[in-house]
Amino acid sequence: MGPKLEGDQMFRKLPLDNPERIDCAGESFLRVPAESLARLTEEAFADVSHLLRTSHLEQLGQIFDDPDASANDRFVALELIKNAVIAAEREFPSCQDTGTAVVTGKKGQNLLVAGSAKAAIEEGIRATWDSRNLRYSQMAPLTMYEERNTGTNLPAQIDIEAGEGETLDLLFMAKGGGSANKTFLFQETRRLLEPDRLLRFLDEKIRTLGTTACPPYHLAIVIGGLSAEQCLKTVKLASARALDDLPDCGDMKGRAFRDQGLEAQVLKLTRSMGLGAQFGGKYFCHDVRVIRLPRHGGSLPVGMGVSCSADRQIKARIDRDGLWLEALERDPARFLPTLRTAQKPVRIDLDQQIDAVCDALSGLAVSTPVLLSGTMIVARDMVHAELARMVAAGQPLPDYMTRHPVYYAGPAKTPSGHASGSFGPTTAARMDPYVPDLQARGASRVMIAKGNRSAAVVQSCKAHRGFYLGSVGGAAATLGKEVIRKVEPIDFAEFGMEAVFLIEVQGFPAFLIIDDKGGDFFARPQ
Ligand code: SF4
C-alpha cells in the first residue's frame, strides 16, 4: 500500500508486517508486536532529528516573498533553510540539542501491544540516539546536588491515554531545552476575559519570550483548563499543530475550541514587536494557535509555549492497514531562495590579539552581521561554575579564557569523516552571572551565543571593552558541517559535551548584539 492522506498530512507506510487480527472472548482485536512499535519509534525519532514538515519550510520560504521582511529576517530564514538542506542528508541533526524524547498518544482498547509498549518505545529511542550523531541531554540526579548524564538520552516522557477502537495514534516530539524553557503558566482570574485586557496581557507576556528559543516560533496560547497541567499539555500539543482540527466555538458541554480571530490578532501583534527572526524585523512567529478550554469558576490558567526552529514533531498511526509515519520533507533545497541578505557581513579575523578583535568590533553598529574566522574557545554551564570557583578561591583563570573569544555551546556527536557534529549556540543568559567577574580579569571579552543578556552584562561590556555576538539559533548542522574546521577538547574532558573545546571556524555568521559603549540590540526600542 502506498502513502495515505489523513486530513492534510501525508503518511508513509513502514515496511513492517500489518498487525495481526485475533479474536478473544467474542471480541476482535489487532495485535502488534512490541518490536514493531520499537522500530516505528526509532524511525520517528530518526526522521524528526533530520527532517522538517513541508509546511514549516514553506513558511520559511515565504519570508523571502514578503517585501516587509527585514534583511536580517531573510538572513536567518536563509540560514535555517540551508541548515535544513544539510540536516536532510541524515548525517548532521538539524540542531545540536537533539532534545528530550516526548511521546504522547491514544491507544484504542481493541489494539494490543504484544509485550511492553513502554519498553518498546524506550528501546526505539535508545536505538536512535545510539546509532545517530545525536546528543545525550538527560541528567540523572544521584543526590540533590550531584548529577550524571545517562548516556542514552533516556528517560523519555511517555504519556499514552486510553481510547476507543483499534488504532494507536502517536505524536513523537524531540523537545530542546531552550524551547522547553519557554513554556509558561500564569494563574489568572475571570477579570482577564475582556478583549482589550487579554490582548494587553498577551502582548506583555509574549515579549518576555525573547529569542533564546530560536525564532521564528510556532506560538501556542491556551486560555483555561481544568487544571494547570491540562492547560500546559494543551500548549505542547497546540505548538505541534496537533489540535488544528478543533472546532471554532465552544458548547454547553465545555468543549475545547480554537479562536482563529484571536490567533490573527496575536500574530499581527508579534509582527509589530520588532524582534523579528532573532535579529530585528517582522518574523518573530510563523503562526499562532489560541485554544480555549473549560475551567473551574475560581481559576483561569493561561499557558504559553513555542515550537522552535527545530520544529521536531511527527505523527504516527498503527491500524489494520499497517504502521504509518507522517511524511516529512525530504527535499528542503526546493525552498532555497536565490535572494541573499541585503546587508553584507563584515569579516573579523579571530586569530589576532584579543585587543585587535575588540578594536575591529568596536567600529561596528549594533545588529551588524559579521563573519568570524579563526580560533574560539567553547565553554558552557559546568565550566563556568568551575571558573567561578577559581575566582572565589583567588586562583588564576586558564589563559585560554583571556586569549580567545568564548562560544557558549555543546556539540552533538561527530559524524565520521567530519571535524565536528552539529554545534549551534546555547542560551547566553545562563552565563550572565559569571560575566562581570570574568571580564574584570580579562576573560570572556568577546562572547558568542544566542538570546538576550542582562543589564549587568551590558554594563560589564561597557566597563571592560567587551562584546556579545548573537549566532543564528537553529542552524547547528550548517555550523557543524561547513563552518567548524577543527574541534579539540582541551580542558575538563570529564564534562563530556560540556568540556572546554578549542575550535577553528571559517565564516561563522553572527550579529553584533552588545558593544563596548552600552549598546544592546535587545534593549533598543523595537
Ligand atoms: S533550535 Fe534552538 S531552541 Fe530549538 S532545540 Fe535547537 S537550540 Fe534549542
Side-chain angles (χ1 to χ4, degrees):
M1 186 180 279
K4 70 173 177 182
L5 196 61
E6 289 277 337
D8 58 357
Q9 269 158 342
M10 193 65 82
F11 283 71
R12 68 183 174 95
K13 189 166 191 268
L14 298 192
L16 296 168
D17 290 342
N18 287 1
E20 173 192 16
R21 183 162 295 286
I22 56 168
D23 292 317
C24 181
E27 258 197 273
S28 177
F29 294 86
L30 285 180
R31 184 166 63 183
V32 61
E35 301 78 52
S36 297
L37 180 56
R39 278 288 315 282
L40 175 78
T41 304
E42 183 180 352
E43 285 267 330
F45 279 110
D47 273 12
V48 95
S49 298
H50 296 281
L51 306 175
L52 292 161
R53 285 179 167 158
T54 303
S55 55
H56 176 85
L57 285 154
E58 279 168 353
Q59 287 171 312
L60 282 171
Q62 280 160 12
I63 295 176
F64 293 92
D65 299 329
D66 182 351
D68 296 331
S70 70
N72 285 356
D73 279 338
R74 292 196 186 103
F75 182 91
V76 171
L78 178 64
E79 290 301 311
L80 292 176
I81 299 175
K82 278 164 45 185
N83 192 70
V85 172
I86 291 171
E89 294 165 0
R90 299 179 83 91
E91 199 170 26
F92 288 78
S94 61
C95 183
Q96 80 289 340
D97 183 347
T98 50
T100 296
V102 179
V103 183
T104 64
K106 190 174 273 191
K107 188 177 87 58
Q109 64 185 11
N110 289 62
L111 186 136
L112 306 175
V113 176
S116 163
K118 178 173 182 287
I121 289 171
E122 288 174 345
E123 184 47 41
I125 293 166
R126 186 193 310 275
T128 310
W129 261 264
D130 261 7
S131 62
R132 301 197 157 260
N133 300 309
L134 308 188
R135 194 178 86 183
Y136 304 123
S137 299
Q138 306 311 314
M139 304 297 288
L142 303 183
T143 68
M144 181 57 74
Y145 306 105
E146 205 188 346
E147 298 182 321
R148 291 281 186 282
N149 192 303
T150 61
T152 58
N153 215 52
L154 292 168
Q157 184 182 333
I158 303 171
D159 193 3
I160 298 179
E161 295 174 12
E164 304 292 324
E166 51 181 40
T167 59
L168 171 56
D169 284 303
L170 294 165
L171 175 68
F172 298 95
M173 306 172 80
K175 194 79 178 160
S179 183
N181 293 346
K182 295 296 171 188
T183 305
F184 296 101
L185 175 76
F186 311 103
Q187 296 284 15
E188 297 298 315
T189 66
R190 171 69 182 83
R191 188 166 173 271
L192 190 66
L193 296 177
E194 290 170 19
D196 290 349
R197 184 168 283 131
L198 179 57
L199 211 54
R200 277 200 306 278
F201 171 87
L202 293 176
D203 186 341
E204 179 198 321
K205 301 303 182 197
I206 292 167
R207 283 174 197 276
T208 67
L209 287 172
T211 60
T212 49
C214 313
Y217 297 136
H218 299 278
L219 173 64
I221 294 163
V222 175
I223 315 285
L226 300 175
S227 64
E229 55 274 22
Q230 185 192 49
C231 177
L232 289 184
K233 184 174 181 191
T234 308
V235 166
K236 187 166 263 175
L237 296 175
S239 73
R241 282 86 75 212
L243 302 175
D244 281 6
D245 294 337
L246 284 178
D248 59 5
C249 64
D251 69 4
M252 278 307 295
K253 289 187 175 163
R255 74 177 180 190
F257 68 93
R258 258 181 90 182
D259 187 334
Q260 296 194 41
L262 191 51
E263 288 176 2
Q265 278 181 286
V266 174
L267 183 62
K268 192 169 167 207
L269 191 74
T270 64
R271 296 204 159 163
S272 66
M273 286 177 175
L275 286 168
Q278 306 191 19
F279 304 106
K282 175 178 171 186
Y283 281 92
F284 188 54
C285 293
H286 285 304
D287 51 29
V288 177
R289 296 291 182 270
V290 179
I291 310 285
R292 182 72 160 89
L293 296 179
R295 68 185 184 99
H296 181 287
S299 320
L300 179 62
V302 175
M304 182 171 77
V306 299
S307 180
C308 64
S309 284
D311 184 40
R312 291 176 298 216
Q313 40 259 326
I314 185 167
K315 291 181 182 173
R317 168 170 283 191
I318 301 176
D319 62 19
R320 64 183 176 192
D321 296 326
L323 288 88
W324 303 86
L325 257 189
E326 182 183 345
L328 301 181
E329 178 62 50
R330 283 167 190 267
D331 182 20
R334 68 194 176 94
F335 297 96
L336 273 174
T338 49
L339 196 59
R340 296 273 156 171
T341 175
Q343 204 176 349
K344 242 186 149 17
V346 176
R347 294 185 178 275
I348 305 283
D349 175 8
L350 302 182
D351 285 339
Q352 321 171 65
Q353 296 288 325
I354 196 74
D355 279 330
V357 175
C358 291
D359 287 345
L361 291 171
S362 191
L364 305 179
V366 162
S367 93
T368 301
V370 293
L371 283 177
L372 310 172
S373 296
T375 306
M376 295 180 191
I377 288 298
V378 179
R380 51 175 284 170
D381 307 58
M382 289 169 78
V383 171
H384 278 78
E386 284 300 314
L387 296 176
R389 193 190 51 71
M390 290 177 198
V391 168
Q395 294 168 354
L397 292 171
D399 75 338
Y400 52 73
M401 290 301 297
T402 55
R403 288 185 24 223
H404 302 290
V406 59
Y407 178 38
Y408 302 151
K413 287 185 233 168
T414 302
S416 69
H418 292 276
S420 168
S422 292
F423 209 162
T426 195
T427 302
R430 294 198 311 273
M431 266 45 82
D432 283 3
Y434 306 109
V435 171
D437 276 347
L438 294 176
Q439 288 195 331
R441 288 160 179 77
S444 300
R445 294 271 305 282
V446 178
M447 304 163 283
I448 303 132
K450 64 170 169 139
N452 55 319
R453 313 292 307 255
S454 64
V457 172
V458 178
Q459 280 309 315
S460 178
C461 284
K462 191 174 175 188
H464 304 295
R465 274 200 86 217
F467 298 85
Y468 167 57
L469 307 173
S471 162
V472 180
T478 310
L479 293 176
K481 185 174 181 198
E482 296 197 336
V483 173
I484 299 174
R485 301 296 164 86
K486 179 180 165 190
V487 178
E488 186 190 345
I490 57 164
D491 208 355
F492 297 110
E494 67 276 20
F495 291 170
M497 69 95 173
E498 293 213 27
V500 176
F501 298 93
L502 184 142
I503 65 171
E504 285 177 18
V505 302
Q506 183 71 43
F508 185 108
F511 291 77
L512 180 59
I513 302 295
I514 294 173
D515 65 13
D516 56 345
K517 302 167 197 72
D520 177 6
F521 165 75
F522 290 109
R524 295 191 313 188
Q526 304 284 352

PDB file of all heavy atoms in Angstrom, residues 478-493:
ATOM      1  N   THR A 478      24.578  23.386   9.797  1.00  0.00           N
ATOM      2  CA  THR A 478      25.437  24.169   8.900  1.00  0.00           C
ATOM      3  C   THR A 478      26.758  24.485   9.597  1.00  0.00           C
ATOM      4  O   THR A 478      27.833  24.354   9.008  1.00  0.00           O
ATOM      5  CB  THR A 478      24.766  25.503   8.519  1.00  0.00           C
ATOM      6  OG1 THR A 478      23.453  25.233   8.074  1.00  0.00           O
ATOM      7  CG2 THR A 478      25.530  26.223   7.443  1.00  0.00           C
ATOM      8  N   LEU A 479      26.679  24.909  10.851  1.00  0.00           N
ATOM      9  CA  LEU A 479      27.910  25.234  11.580  1.00  0.00           C
ATOM     10  C   LEU A 479      28.810  24.009  11.667  1.00  0.00           C
ATOM     11  O   LEU A 479      30.008  24.077  11.416  1.00  0.00           O
ATOM     12  CB  LEU A 479      27.579  25.754  12.984  1.00  0.00           C
ATOM     13  CG  LEU A 479      26.849  27.109  13.045  1.00  0.00           C
ATOM     14  CD1 LEU A 479      26.493  27.454  14.495  1.00  0.00           C
ATOM     15  CD2 LEU A 479      27.707  28.223  12.453  1.00  0.00           C
ATOM     16  N   GLY A 480      28.205  22.847  12.014  1.00  0.00           N
ATOM     17  CA  GLY A 480      28.997  21.624  12.179  1.00  0.00           C
ATOM     18  C   GLY A 480      29.623  21.159  10.873  1.00  0.00           C
ATOM     19  O   GLY A 480      30.778  20.729  10.842  1.00  0.00           O
ATOM     20  N   LYS A 481      28.870  21.251   9.786  1.00  0.00           N
ATOM     21  CA  LYS A 481      29.385  20.687   8.537  1.00  0.00           C
ATOM     22  C   LYS A 481      30.246  21.672   7.743  1.00  0.00           C
ATOM     23  O   LYS A 481      31.243  21.291   7.147  1.00  0.00           O
ATOM     24  CB  LYS A 481      28.228  20.217   7.660  1.00  0.00           C
ATOM     25  CG  LYS A 481      28.738  19.511   6.415  1.00  0.00           C
ATOM     26  CD  LYS A 481      27.653  18.903   5.586  1.00  0.00           C
ATOM     27  CE  LYS A 481      28.306  18.191   4.379  1.00  0.00           C
ATOM     28  NZ  LYS A 481      27.349  17.943   3.325  1.00  0.00           N
ATOM     29  N   GLU A 482      29.859  22.950   7.746  1.00  0.00           N
ATOM     30  CA  GLU A 482      30.501  23.870   6.802  1.00  0.00           C
ATOM     31  C   GLU A 482      31.366  24.945   7.443  1.00  0.00           C
ATOM     32  O   GLU A 482      32.120  25.609   6.744  1.00  0.00           O
ATOM     33  CB  GLU A 482      29.410  24.550   5.955  1.00  0.00           C
ATOM     34  CG  GLU A 482      28.661  23.533   5.108  1.00  0.00           C
ATOM     35  CD  GLU A 482      27.885  24.146   3.982  1.00  0.00           C
ATOM     36  OE1 GLU A 482      27.536  25.330   4.094  1.00  0.00           O
ATOM     37  OE2 GLU A 482      27.607  23.425   3.013  1.00  0.00           O
ATOM     38  N   VAL A 483      31.225  25.169   8.724  1.00  0.00           N
ATOM     39  CA  VAL A 483      31.892  26.326   9.330  1.00  0.00           C
ATOM     40  C   VAL A 483      32.999  25.909  10.303  1.00  0.00           C
ATOM     41  O   VAL A 483      34.072  26.504  10.318  1.00  0.00           O
ATOM     42  CB  VAL A 483      30.834  27.207  10.049  1.00  0.00           C
ATOM     43  CG1 VAL A 483      31.493  28.320  10.827  1.00  0.00           C
ATOM     44  CG2 VAL A 483      29.838  27.764   9.030  1.00  0.00           C
ATOM     45  N   ILE A 484      32.735  24.880  11.107  1.00  0.00           N
ATOM     46  CA  ILE A 484      33.709  24.490  12.138  1.00  0.00           C
ATOM     47  C   ILE A 484      34.701  23.493  11.533  1.00  0.00           C
ATOM     48  O   ILE A 484      34.311  22.425  11.058  1.00  0.00           O
ATOM     49  CB  ILE A 484      32.981  23.915  13.377  1.00  0.00           C
ATOM     50  CG1 ILE A 484      32.067  25.005  13.962  1.00  0.00           C
ATOM     51  CG2 ILE A 484      33.989  23.419  14.418  1.00  0.00           C
ATOM     52  CD1 ILE A 484      31.174  24.563  15.082  1.00  0.00           C
ATOM     53  N   ARG A 485      35.984  23.875  11.515  1.00  0.00           N
ATOM     54  CA  ARG A 485      37.003  23.082  10.813  1.00  0.00           C
ATOM     55  C   ARG A 485      37.792  22.174  11.750  1.00  0.00           C
ATOM     56  O   ARG A 485      38.473  21.258  11.310  1.00  0.00           O
ATOM     57  CB  ARG A 485      37.975  24.016  10.076  1.00  0.00           C
ATOM     58  CG  ARG A 485      37.295  24.924   9.065  1.00  0.00           C
ATOM     59  CD  ARG A 485      36.681  24.050   7.960  1.00  0.00           C
ATOM     60  NE  ARG A 485      35.704  24.772   7.163  1.00  0.00           N
ATOM     61  CZ  ARG A 485      35.996  25.510   6.108  1.00  0.00           C
ATOM     62  NH1 ARG A 485      37.234  25.653   5.750  1.00  0.00           N
ATOM     63  NH2 ARG A 485      35.042  26.100   5.425  1.00  0.00           N
ATOM     64  N   LYS A 486      37.745  22.464  13.041  1.00  0.00           N
ATOM     65  CA  LYS A 486      38.536  21.644  13.971  1.00  0.00           C
ATOM     66  C   LYS A 486      37.904  21.753  15.354  1.00  0.00           C
ATOM     67  O   LYS A 486      37.479  22.853  15.745  1.00  0.00           O
ATOM     68  CB  LYS A 486      39.973  22.183  14.009  1.00  0.00           C
ATOM     69  CG  LYS A 486      40.895  21.451  14.946  1.00  0.00           C
ATOM     70  CD  LYS A 486      42.287  22.074  14.903  1.00  0.00           C
ATOM     71  CE  LYS A 486      43.101  21.597  16.091  1.00  0.00           C
ATOM     72  NZ  LYS A 486      44.343  22.327  16.246  1.00  0.00           N
ATOM     73  N   VAL A 487      37.836  20.635  16.059  1.00  0.00           N
ATOM     74  CA  VAL A 487      37.315  20.633  17.434  1.00  0.00           C
ATOM     75  C   VAL A 487      38.277  19.820  18.282  1.00  0.00           C
ATOM     76  O   VAL A 487      38.537  18.655  17.981  1.00  0.00           O
ATOM     77  CB  VAL A 487      35.910  19.977  17.509  1.00  0.00           C
ATOM     78  CG1 VAL A 487      35.414  19.948  18.955  1.00  0.00           C
ATOM     79  CG2 VAL A 487      34.910  20.711  16.622  1.00  0.00           C
ATOM     80  N   GLU A 488      38.800  20.454  19.332  1.00  0.00           N
ATOM     81  CA  GLU A 488      39.767  19.741  20.179  1.00  0.00           C
ATOM     82  C   GLU A 488      39.421  19.984  21.644  1.00  0.00           C
ATOM     83  O   GLU A 488      39.410  21.149  22.089  1.00  0.00           O
ATOM     84  CB  GLU A 488      41.166  20.312  19.880  1.00  0.00           C
ATOM     85  CG  GLU A 488      42.278  19.593  20.567  1.00  0.00           C
ATOM     86  CD  GLU A 488      43.594  20.373  20.404  1.00  0.00           C
ATOM     87  OE1 GLU A 488      43.679  21.284  19.549  1.00  0.00           O
ATOM     88  OE2 GLU A 488      44.515  20.085  21.173  1.00  0.00           O
ATOM     89  N   PRO A 489      39.097  18.923  22.401  1.00  0.00           N
ATOM     90  CA  PRO A 489      38.853  19.137  23.833  1.00  0.00           C
ATOM     91  C   PRO A 489      40.175  19.500  24.515  1.00  0.00           C
ATOM     92  O   PRO A 489      41.171  18.809  24.317  1.00  0.00           O
ATOM     93  CB  PRO A 489      38.318  17.787  24.326  1.00  0.00           C
ATOM     94  CG  PRO A 489      38.623  16.798  23.254  1.00  0.00           C
ATOM     95  CD  PRO A 489      38.993  17.521  21.992  1.00  0.00           C
ATOM     96  N   ILE A 490      40.186  20.585  25.282  1.00  0.00           N
ATOM     97  CA  ILE A 490      41.476  20.986  25.880  1.00  0.00           C
ATOM     98  C   ILE A 490      41.436  21.065  27.412  1.00  0.00           C
ATOM     99  O   ILE A 490      42.473  21.230  28.033  1.00  0.00           O
ATOM    100  CB  ILE A 490      41.963  22.345  25.325  1.00  0.00           C
ATOM    101  CG1 ILE A 490      40.926  23.430  25.548  1.00  0.00           C
ATOM    102  CG2 ILE A 490      42.357  22.235  23.850  1.00  0.00           C
ATOM    103  CD1 ILE A 490      41.506  24.837  25.379  1.00  0.00           C
ATOM    104  N   ASP A 491      40.235  20.972  27.977  1.00  0.00           N
ATOM    105  CA  ASP A 491      40.173  21.035  29.445  1.00  0.00           C
ATOM    106  C   ASP A 491      38.817  20.449  29.895  1.00  0.00           C
ATOM    107  O   ASP A 491      37.857  20.458  29.141  1.00  0.00           O
ATOM    108  CB  ASP A 491      40.298  22.495  29.907  1.00  0.00           C
ATOM    109  CG  ASP A 491      40.911  22.610  31.309  1.00  0.00           C
ATOM    110  OD1 ASP A 491      41.146  21.569  31.939  1.00  0.00           O
ATOM    111  OD2 ASP A 491      41.142  23.752  31.747  1.00  0.00           O
ATOM    112  N   PHE A 492      38.760  19.995  31.122  1.00  0.00           N
ATOM    113  CA  PHE A 492      37.543  19.438  31.706  1.00  0.00           C
ATOM    114  C   PHE A 492      36.909  18.385  30.789  1.00  0.00           C
ATOM    115  O   PHE A 492      35.686  18.360  30.592  1.00  0.00           O
ATOM    116  CB  PHE A 492      36.521  20.545  32.002  1.00  0.00           C
ATOM    117  CG  PHE A 492      36.991  21.552  33.016  1.00  0.00           C
ATOM    118  CD1 PHE A 492      37.299  22.852  32.651  1.00  0.00           C
ATOM    119  CD2 PHE A 492      37.131  21.187  34.361  1.00  0.00           C
ATOM    120  CE1 PHE A 492      37.743  23.778  33.584  1.00  0.00           C
ATOM    121  CE2 PHE A 492      37.573  22.111  35.311  1.00  0.00           C
ATOM    122  CZ  PHE A 492      37.887  23.408  34.918  1.00  0.00           C
ATOM    123  N   ALA A 493      37.721  17.487  30.240  1.00  0.00           N
ATOM    124  CA  ALA A 493      37.204  16.468  29.321  1.00  0.00           C
ATOM    125  C   ALA A 493      36.138  15.610  30.002  1.00  0.00           C
ATOM    126  O   ALA A 493      35.241  15.080  29.350  1.00  0.00           O
ATOM    127  CB  ALA A 493      38.352  15.601  28.817  1.00  0.00           C
TER     128      ALA A 493
END
